[in-house]
Amino acid sequence: YDFTEAYRIVDTESFVSAAISKKKNLILKDGFKLVSENEDDILYIKRRLNEISFVTDTPFTTLLGQIVDSLLHNHNMFLYVARKQNASTGEVRIEGRRKIKPIAGFFHLSETKTDLIENNLGAVIGYKYNINRGIYNEFKKEEVLHLYINKKPDLNIGTPPLEAVKDDILSLRQIEENLERLIYKLSVPLIHAKVGSEKFPAGIDQITGRSEIDVVNDQILSMDDAGGITTTDRVDIKMLGAESQALRLSSYIDHFKNRVLVGLTISDVDLGTGTTTTGGAASIVSEALRQNVEMYQTTVEEFITDYIITPLLLER
């Protein structure tokens, strides 16, 4: 998957940008709290998180926002675990025959610059982080935490959430562009002048010696935007446009718009564009968004508990 594509789509599509922004706000709006039966554990974790924030120069709330951003855009998030005994108050711990240094900090790695290193069997053995123009760092598997959502059985990465709606977004954009061109075309009516009749067809103008059709045509072309034209009864002028008929593209736009919104797990009511949904129906429509937000919250909660808080407690 091209992880940079999601960010390009967000930069150009208002629906996607608004949906991701709303989900992020809902996920993080209530903050977080640490819960434990042991009050000493809570005080210890708070102290360690403050130390890590100081060492990395990144507040934990900022790190939390980076984690959520990567998940919402691409369903993949990478954290580098920096271990250094002199920069941490944690203790060195023993795991099997290995000595594991205490954690000094967590650094978010952009998923757009992180590649998996796999062996011949398809198993992940490390990660490669592209810094700039062929310059990269390689990390061992245990040095990087990889959180993913919706991973296919034969892949080592999660499936980006926009993968299912990219084609629908492209179709919607193309239909909107066609509608824009049609509106522009019909906003300027076509002037059609009929000179003469079946019994007395157009001939030569007696005054100018030119064709009557050319004379009327020149008069129309030289007419001011707010002006008019005076003719004899031999000239019949009509304004041709949409003829008061509705442009029949709205149903197609609504169809692809709904497909995009369904793929984003959000409704037009959630985006503030709904006009016909009642209050009772709005709460039902928003239920899908609520469940989607809770899924992300649970995923982040379990990840931080298992891969950040638990290792810190083991270093106590």
Side-chain angles (χ1 to χ4, degrees), residues 91-134:
E91 301 290 338
V92 177
R93 62 189 178 93
I94 306 298
E95 189 176 281
R97 296 183 178 181
R98 293 190 308 129
K99 287 186 177 181
I100 303 178
K101 294 181 180 180
I103 296 173
F106 297 97
F107 294 90
H108 176 260
L109 302 178
S110 172
E111 70 276 15
T112 63
K113 295 185 176 182
T114 305
D115 296 323
L116 278 61
I117 302 176
E118 301 172 336
N119 60 17
N120 295 332
L121 300 177
V124 178
I125 59 175
Y127 299 89
K128 182 171 69 174
Y129 183 73
N130 298 292
I131 300 175
N132 186 25
R133 297 184 179 181

Side-chain angles (χ1 to χ4, degrees), residues 257 268-277:
K257 174 187 173 183
D268 53 358
V269 177
D270 299 318
L271 294 176
T273 60
T275 57
T276 58
T277 306

Side-chain angles (χ1 to χ4, degrees), residues 27 45 231:
I27 292 171
I45 290 299
T231 68

